[in-house]
PDB file of all heavy atoms in Angstrom:
ATOM      1  N   THR A  20      78.329  85.375  16.886  1.00  0.00           N
ATOM      2  CA  THR A  20      79.705  85.399  17.370  1.00  0.00           C
ATOM      3  C   THR A  20      80.509  86.377  16.525  1.00  0.00           C
ATOM      4  O   THR A  20      80.298  86.493  15.321  1.00  0.00           O
ATOM      5  CB  THR A  20      80.376  84.008  17.301  1.00  0.00           C
ATOM      6  OG1 THR A  20      80.405  83.559  15.936  1.00  0.00           O
ATOM      7  CG2 THR A  20      79.645  83.000  18.157  1.00  0.00           C
ATOM      8  N   VAL A  21      81.418  87.094  17.170  1.00  0.00           N
ATOM      9  CA  VAL A  21      82.321  88.021  16.487  1.00  0.00           C
ATOM     10  C   VAL A  21      83.738  87.711  16.946  1.00  0.00           C
ATOM     11  O   VAL A  21      83.986  87.535  18.145  1.00  0.00           O
ATOM     12  CB  VAL A  21      81.976  89.492  16.811  1.00  0.00           C
ATOM     13  CG1 VAL A  21      83.036  90.426  16.236  1.00  0.00           C
ATOM     14  CG2 VAL A  21      80.613  89.854  16.252  1.00  0.00           C
ATOM     15  N   THR A  22      84.656  87.628  16.000  1.00  0.00           N
ATOM     16  CA  THR A  22      86.046  87.300  16.312  1.00  0.00           C
ATOM     17  C   THR A  22      86.968  88.395  15.796  1.00  0.00           C
ATOM     18  O   THR A  22      86.791  88.893  14.680  1.00  0.00           O
ATOM     19  CB  THR A  22      86.447  85.960  15.685  1.00  0.00           C
ATOM     20  OG1 THR A  22      85.653  84.914  16.253  1.00  0.00           O
ATOM     21  CG2 THR A  22      87.914  85.659  15.923  1.00  0.00           C
ATOM     22  N   ALA A  23      87.957  88.755  16.611  1.00  0.00           N
ATOM     23  CA  ALA A  23      89.025  89.666  16.187  1.00  0.00           C
ATOM     24  C   ALA A  23      90.356  89.003  16.493  1.00  0.00           C
ATOM     25  O   ALA A  23      90.518  88.361  17.540  1.00  0.00           O
ATOM     26  CB  ALA A  23      88.910  91.003  16.906  1.00  0.00           C
ATOM     27  N   LEU A  24      91.307  89.150  15.583  1.00  0.00           N
ATOM     28  CA  LEU A  24      92.641  88.574  15.751  1.00  0.00           C
ATOM     29  C   LEU A  24      93.688  89.680  15.780  1.00  0.00           C
ATOM     30  O   LEU A  24      93.652  90.617  14.968  1.00  0.00           O
ATOM     31  CB  LEU A  24      92.970  87.611  14.608  1.00  0.00           C
ATOM     32  CG  LEU A  24      92.126  86.344  14.461  1.00  0.00           C
ATOM     33  CD1 LEU A  24      92.606  85.542  13.253  1.00  0.00           C
ATOM     34  CD2 LEU A  24      92.194  85.492  15.721  1.00  0.00           C
ATOM     35  N   TYR A  25      94.633  89.551  16.711  1.00  0.00           N
ATOM     36  CA  TYR A  25      95.796  90.430  16.771  1.00  0.00           C
ATOM     37  C   TYR A  25      97.061  89.593  16.620  1.00  0.00           C
ATOM     38  O   TYR A  25      97.222  88.570  17.303  1.00  0.00           O
ATOM     39  CB  TYR A  25      95.860  91.169  18.105  1.00  0.00           C
ATOM     40  CG  TYR A  25      94.919  92.341  18.233  1.00  0.00           C
ATOM     41  CD1 TYR A  25      93.654  92.173  18.797  1.00  0.00           C
ATOM     42  CD2 TYR A  25      95.296  93.618  17.816  1.00  0.00           C
ATOM     43  CE1 TYR A  25      92.788  93.255  18.942  1.00  0.00           C
ATOM     44  CE2 TYR A  25      94.433  94.699  17.954  1.00  0.00           C
ATOM     45  CZ  TYR A  25      93.185  94.510  18.517  1.00  0.00           C
ATOM     46  OH  TYR A  25      92.331  95.580  18.647  1.00  0.00           O
ATOM     47  N   GLU A  26      97.956  90.020  15.751  1.00  0.00           N
ATOM     48  CA  GLU A  26      99.293  89.434  15.689  1.00  0.00           C
ATOM     49  C   GLU A  26     100.195  90.270  16.578  1.00  0.00           C
ATOM     50  O   GLU A  26     100.232  91.504  16.471  1.00  0.00           O
ATOM     51  CB  GLU A  26      99.831  89.406  14.267  1.00  0.00           C
ATOM     52  CG  GLU A  26     101.183  88.728  14.160  1.00  0.00           C
ATOM     53  CD  GLU A  26     101.685  88.594  12.728  1.00  0.00           C
ATOM     54  OE1 GLU A  26     100.911  88.893  11.795  1.00  0.00           O
ATOM     55  OE2 GLU A  26     102.868  88.203  12.545  1.00  0.00           O
ATOM     56  N   ILE A  27     100.927  89.616  17.467  1.00  0.00           N
ATOM     57  CA  ILE A  27     101.724  90.301  18.484  1.00  0.00           C
ATOM     58  C   ILE A  27     103.189  89.909  18.357  1.00  0.00           C
ATOM     59  O   ILE A  27     103.516  88.719  18.236  1.00  0.00           O
ATOM     60  CB  ILE A  27     101.207  89.944  19.895  1.00  0.00           C
ATOM     61  CG1 ILE A  27      99.787  90.493  20.080  1.00  0.00           C
ATOM     62  CG2 ILE A  27     102.134  90.482  20.976  1.00  0.00           C
ATOM     63  CD1 ILE A  27      99.120  90.027  21.354  1.00  0.00           C
ATOM     64  N   VAL A  28     104.064  90.919  18.386  1.00  0.00           N
ATOM     65  CA  VAL A  28     105.509  90.676  18.446  1.00  0.00           C
ATOM     66  C   VAL A  28     105.925  90.830  19.907  1.00  0.00           C
ATOM     67  O   VAL A  28     105.890  91.942  20.454  1.00  0.00           O
ATOM     68  CB  VAL A  28     106.296  91.673  17.574  1.00  0.00           C
ATOM     69  CG1 VAL A  28     107.791  91.340  17.612  1.00  0.00           C
ATOM     70  CG2 VAL A  28     105.778  91.656  16.139  1.00  0.00           C
ATOM     71  N   PRO A  29     106.287  89.745  20.581  1.00  0.00           N
ATOM     72  CA  PRO A  29     106.651  89.840  22.003  1.00  0.00           C
ATOM     73  C   PRO A  29     107.930  90.652  22.205  1.00  0.00           C
ATOM     74  O   PRO A  29     108.789  90.736  21.311  1.00  0.00           O
ATOM     75  CB  PRO A  29     106.860  88.375  22.419  1.00  0.00           C
ATOM     76  CG  PRO A  29     106.164  87.561  21.367  1.00  0.00           C
ATOM     77  CD  PRO A  29     106.289  88.348  20.110  1.00  0.00           C
ATOM     78  N   VAL A  30     108.054  91.261  23.367  1.00  0.00           N
ATOM     79  CA  VAL A  30     109.281  91.962  23.731  1.00  0.00           C
ATOM     80  C   VAL A  30     110.435  90.966  23.730  1.00  0.00           C
ATOM     81  O   VAL A  30     110.300  89.835  24.204  1.00  0.00           O
ATOM     82  CB  VAL A  30     109.125  92.621  25.118  1.00  0.00           C
ATOM     83  CG1 VAL A  30     110.485  93.068  25.648  1.00  0.00           C
ATOM     84  CG2 VAL A  30     108.173  93.802  25.038  1.00  0.00           C
ATOM     85  N   GLY A  31     111.565  91.371  23.160  1.00  0.00           N
ATOM     86  CA  GLY A  31     112.747  90.513  23.117  1.00  0.00           C
ATOM     87  C   GLY A  31     112.936  89.776  21.814  1.00  0.00           C
ATOM     88  O   GLY A  31     114.020  89.247  21.550  1.00  0.00           O
ATOM     89  N   VAL A  32     111.891  89.732  20.977  1.00  0.00           N
ATOM     90  CA  VAL A  32     112.010  89.074  19.675  1.00  0.00           C
ATOM     91  C   VAL A  32     112.766  89.985  18.722  1.00  0.00           C
ATOM     92  O   VAL A  32     112.415  91.156  18.541  1.00  0.00           O
ATOM     93  CB  VAL A  32     110.622  88.742  19.090  1.00  0.00           C
ATOM     94  CG1 VAL A  32     110.751  88.272  17.644  1.00  0.00           C
ATOM     95  CG2 VAL A  32     109.949  87.674  19.935  1.00  0.00           C
ATOM     96  N   LYS A  33     113.825  89.463  18.124  1.00  0.00           N
ATOM     97  CA  LYS A  33     114.612  90.237  17.175  1.00  0.00           C
ATOM     98  C   LYS A  33     114.235  89.826  15.754  1.00  0.00           C
ATOM     99  O   LYS A  33     113.889  88.695  15.490  1.00  0.00           O
ATOM    100  CB  LYS A  33     116.103  90.021  17.417  1.00  0.00           C
ATOM    101  CG  LYS A  33     116.588  90.534  18.770  1.00  0.00           C
ATOM    102  CD  LYS A  33     118.083  90.329  18.947  1.00  0.00           C
ATOM    103  CE  LYS A  33     118.546  90.869  20.304  1.00  0.00           C
ATOM    104  NZ  LYS A  33     120.013  90.691  20.502  1.00  0.00           N
ATOM    105  N   GLY A  34     114.311  90.774  14.875  1.00  0.00           N
ATOM    106  CA  GLY A  34     113.968  90.466  13.486  1.00  0.00           C
ATOM    107  C   GLY A  34     113.265  91.646  12.857  1.00  0.00           C
ATOM    108  O   GLY A  34     112.683  92.501  13.547  1.00  0.00           O
ATOM    109  N   ASP A  35     113.358  91.731  11.555  1.00  0.00           N
ATOM    110  CA  ASP A  35     112.751  92.833  10.819  1.00  0.00           C
ATOM    111  C   ASP A  35     111.335  92.466  10.402  1.00  0.00           C
ATOM    112  O   ASP A  35     111.093  92.067   9.268  1.00  0.00           O
ATOM    113  CB  ASP A  35     113.604  93.171   9.581  1.00  0.00           C
ATOM    114  CG  ASP A  35     114.973  93.692   9.968  1.00  0.00           C
ATOM    115  OD1 ASP A  35     115.067  94.330  11.020  1.00  0.00           O
ATOM    116  OD2 ASP A  35     115.939  93.454   9.217  1.00  0.00           O
ATOM    117  N   PHE A  36     110.398  92.572  11.336  1.00  0.00           N
ATOM    118  CA  PHE A  36     109.009  92.331  10.983  1.00  0.00           C
ATOM    119  C   PHE A  36     108.507  93.526  10.163  1.00  0.00           C
ATOM    120  O   PHE A  36     109.035  94.633  10.277  1.00  0.00           O
ATOM    121  CB  PHE A  36     108.154  92.111  12.224  1.00  0.00           C
ATOM    122  CG  PHE A  36     108.222  93.219  13.245  1.00  0.00           C
ATOM    123  CD1 PHE A  36     107.396  94.334  13.152  1.00  0.00           C
ATOM    124  CD2 PHE A  36     109.119  93.144  14.309  1.00  0.00           C
ATOM    125  CE1 PHE A  36     107.451  95.347  14.083  1.00  0.00           C
ATOM    126  CE2 PHE A  36     109.173  94.166  15.251  1.00  0.00           C
ATOM    127  CZ  PHE A  36     108.345  95.263  15.138  1.00  0.00           C
ATOM    128  N   PRO A  37     107.505  93.323   9.319  1.00  0.00           N
ATOM    129  CA  PRO A  37     106.999  94.415   8.480  1.00  0.00           C
ATOM    130  C   PRO A  37     106.583  95.620   9.317  1.00  0.00           C
ATOM    131  O   PRO A  37     105.849  95.479  10.301  1.00  0.00           O
ATOM    132  CB  PRO A  37     105.779  93.792   7.778  1.00  0.00           C
ATOM    133  CG  PRO A  37     106.050  92.330   7.784  1.00  0.00           C
ATOM    134  CD  PRO A  37     106.787  92.066   9.061  1.00  0.00           C
ATOM    135  N   GLY A  38     107.090  96.792   8.956  1.00  0.00           N
ATOM    136  CA  GLY A  38     106.752  98.002   9.684  1.00  0.00           C
ATOM    137  C   GLY A  38     107.757  98.366  10.765  1.00  0.00           C
ATOM    138  O   GLY A  38     107.662  99.428  11.379  1.00  0.00           O
ATOM    139  N   HIS A  39     108.738  97.518  10.992  1.00  0.00           N
ATOM    140  CA  HIS A  39     109.756  97.784  12.011  1.00  0.00           C
ATOM    141  C   HIS A  39     110.641  98.952  11.574  1.00  0.00           C
ATOM    142  O   HIS A  39     111.032  99.056  10.418  1.00  0.00           O
ATOM    143  CB  HIS A  39     110.609  96.527  12.225  1.00  0.00           C
ATOM    144  CG  HIS A  39     111.689  96.698  13.247  1.00  0.00           C
ATOM    145  ND1 HIS A  39     112.984  97.015  12.905  1.00  0.00           N
ATOM    146  CD2 HIS A  39     111.658  96.610  14.603  1.00  0.00           C
ATOM    147  CE1 HIS A  39     113.723  97.102  14.002  1.00  0.00           C
ATOM    148  NE2 HIS A  39     112.930  96.851  15.034  1.00  0.00           N
ATOM    149  N   VAL A  40     110.948  99.857  12.527  1.00  0.00           N
ATOM    150  CA  VAL A  40     111.811 101.003  12.226  1.00  0.00           C
ATOM    151  C   VAL A  40     113.007 100.986  13.163  1.00  0.00           C
ATOM    152  O   VAL A  40     112.975 100.389  14.247  1.00  0.00           O
ATOM    153  CB  VAL A  40     111.043 102.339  12.373  1.00  0.00           C
ATOM    154  CG1 VAL A  40     109.921 102.432  11.360  1.00  0.00           C
ATOM    155  CG2 VAL A  40     110.503 102.516  13.785  1.00  0.00           C
ATOM    156  N   ASP A  41     114.061 101.668  12.738  1.00  0.00           N
ATOM    157  CA  ASP A  41     115.273 101.748  13.555  1.00  0.00           C
ATOM    158  C   ASP A  41     115.034 102.630  14.778  1.00  0.00           C
ATOM    159  O   ASP A  41     114.164 103.510  14.772  1.00  0.00           O
ATOM    160  CB  ASP A  41     116.424 102.331  12.733  1.00  0.00           C
ATOM    161  CG  ASP A  41     116.842 101.406  11.599  1.00  0.00           C
ATOM    162  OD1 ASP A  41     116.641 100.183  11.751  1.00  0.00           O
ATOM    163  OD2 ASP A  41     117.345 101.905  10.577  1.00  0.00           O
ATOM    164  N   PRO A  42     115.839 102.435  15.842  1.00  0.00           N
ATOM    165  CA  PRO A  42     115.716 103.290  17.034  1.00  0.00           C
ATOM    166  C   PRO A  42     115.995 104.745  16.670  1.00  0.00           C
ATOM    167  O   PRO A  42     116.771 105.056  15.756  1.00  0.00           O
ATOM    168  CB  PRO A  42     116.786 102.729  17.974  1.00  0.00           C
ATOM    169  CG  PRO A  42     117.025 101.329  17.498  1.00  0.00           C
ATOM    170  CD  PRO A  42     116.824 101.369  16.026  1.00  0.00           C
ATOM    171  N   LEU A  43     115.351 105.671  17.388  1.00  0.00           N
ATOM    172  CA  LEU A  43     115.550 107.094  17.152  1.00  0.00           C
ATOM    173  C   LEU A  43     116.929 107.534  17.642  1.00  0.00           C
ATOM    174  O   LEU A  43     117.469 106.989  18.610  1.00  0.00           O
ATOM    175  CB  LEU A  43     114.461 107.899  17.860  1.00  0.00           C
ATOM    176  CG  LEU A  43     113.023 107.663  17.372  1.00  0.00           C
ATOM    177  CD1 LEU A  43     112.053 108.504  18.194  1.00  0.00           C
ATOM    178  CD2 LEU A  43     112.890 107.971  15.900  1.00  0.00           C
ATOM    179  N   LYS A  44     117.482 108.549  16.971  1.00  0.00           N
ATOM    180  CA  LYS A  44     118.818 109.043  17.294  1.00  0.00           C
ATOM    181  C   LYS A  44     118.778 110.141  18.343  1.00  0.00           C
ATOM    182  O   LYS A  44     119.651 110.231  19.196  1.00  0.00           O
ATOM    183  CB  LYS A  44     119.482 109.549  16.025  1.00  0.00           C
ATOM    184  CG  LYS A  44     120.899 110.080  16.217  1.00  0.00           C
ATOM    185  CD  LYS A  44     121.499 110.514  14.884  1.00  0.00           C
ATOM    186  CE  LYS A  44     122.922 111.044  15.080  1.00  0.00           C
ATOM    187  NZ  LYS A  44     123.517 111.470  13.791  1.00  0.00           N
ATOM    188  N   TYR A  45     117.753 111.001  18.288  1.00  0.00           N
ATOM    189  CA  TYR A  45     117.754 112.212  19.101  1.00  0.00           C
ATOM    190  C   TYR A  45     116.795 112.183  20.290  1.00  0.00           C
ATOM    191  O   TYR A  45     116.683 113.159  21.014  1.00  0.00           O
ATOM    192  CB  TYR A  45     117.424 113.430  18.224  1.00  0.00           C
ATOM    193  CG  TYR A  45     118.429 113.621  17.111  1.00  0.00           C
ATOM    194  CD1 TYR A  45     118.077 113.365  15.799  1.00  0.00           C
ATOM    195  CD2 TYR A  45     119.739 114.017  17.398  1.00  0.00           C
ATOM    196  CE1 TYR A  45     118.995 113.530  14.776  1.00  0.00           C
ATOM    197  CE2 TYR A  45     120.663 114.171  16.380  1.00  0.00           C
ATOM    198  CZ  TYR A  45     120.293 113.933  15.063  1.00  0.00           C
ATOM    199  OH  TYR A  45     121.212 114.074  14.069  1.00  0.00           O
TER     200      TYR A  45
END
């Protein structure tokens, strides 16, 4: 057996999760 796990941030969730960047300006 082989297992892989993904952590997912659903659309609409607000918060500063690690790696989150601000929206682009240009």
Side-chain angles (χ1 to χ4, degrees):
T20 61
V21 173
T22 297
L24 296 179
Y25 282 93
E26 183 175 352
I27 295 172
V28 183
V30 167
V32 171
K33 295 182 179 180
D35 295 329
F36 55 86
H39 180 264
V40 296
D41 294 333
L43 296 178
K44 181 178 180 180
Y45 300 109

